[in-house]
Amino acid sequence: MSSTVELTKENFDQMVSENEFVLIDFWAEWCPPCRQFAPVYEKAAADNPDLVFGKVDTEAQPELAAAFEVQSIPTLMIIRDQVAVFAQPGALPAPVLEDLIGQARNLDMDEVRKSIATQQGGAQK
């Protein structure tokens, strides 16, 4: 059984709003780097059962790929507390993915939100 969840435009918002930490792999069947990254992503999902690992098939869900301005695949995105904290194209080696998950787990989301508010033109009080 897969440890990942297929994300679609129908379930995407619910998955992101109901889960504090969501990783998303934007991929396509025809993409060799996507197929290379898939077992790495599946293993990370199995190793981190407390997190949601989603997959967006960019061929079946072009609206989601467009909404997140995915230009190349695979693209990995991490969403914490409904805030995208990481997005990068390219297949990652397992140690890099694990390190990235650890860094995202350790983020102070209050600081992240303050930083975003500042970047958007003035800190919110």
Side-chain angles (χ1 to χ4, degrees):
M1 183 182 126
S2 174
S3 309
T4 61
V5 177
E6 185 68 31
L7 296 177
T8 65
K9 63 183 185 219
E10 289 77 21
N11 71 357
F12 188 89
D13 289 342
Q14 181 180 2
M15 290 301 290
V16 170
S17 63
E18 291 180 359
N19 294 282
E20 166 183 322
F21 196 125
V22 181
L23 294 94
I24 305 165
D25 174 21
F26 290 88
W27 69 284
E29 186 66 40
W30 54 262
C31 162
C34 298
R35 290 196 306 270
Q36 281 182 311
F37 182 58
V40 172
Y41 193 70
E42 289 283 344
K43 179 165 183 345
D47 292 346
N48 295 277
D50 58 318
L51 307 181
V52 173
F53 284 74
K55 292 181 72 80
V56 173
D57 180 344
T58 57
E59 293 292 302
Q61 302 296 324
E63 302 91 343
L64 282 177
F68 288 98
E69 300 177 1
V70 172
Q71 300 291 318
S72 61
I73 52 175
T75 288
L76 179 69
M77 181 174 290
I78 299 177
I79 300 177
R80 285 260 332 258
D81 299 339
Q82 301 180 40
V83 176
V85 296
F86 178 85
Q88 177 179 306
L92 300 175
V96 174
L97 179 57
E98 282 301 321
D99 182 58
L100 188 60
I101 291 168
Q103 289 181 46
R105 282 185 187 275
N106 292 328
L107 282 175
D108 179 337
M109 290 309 294
D110 289 334
E111 287 300 316
V112 169
R113 279 188 280 278
K114 281 183 198 167
S115 174
I116 291 170
T118 301
Q119 289 174 10
Q120 290 176 343
Q124 297 165 343
K125 296 190 179 172

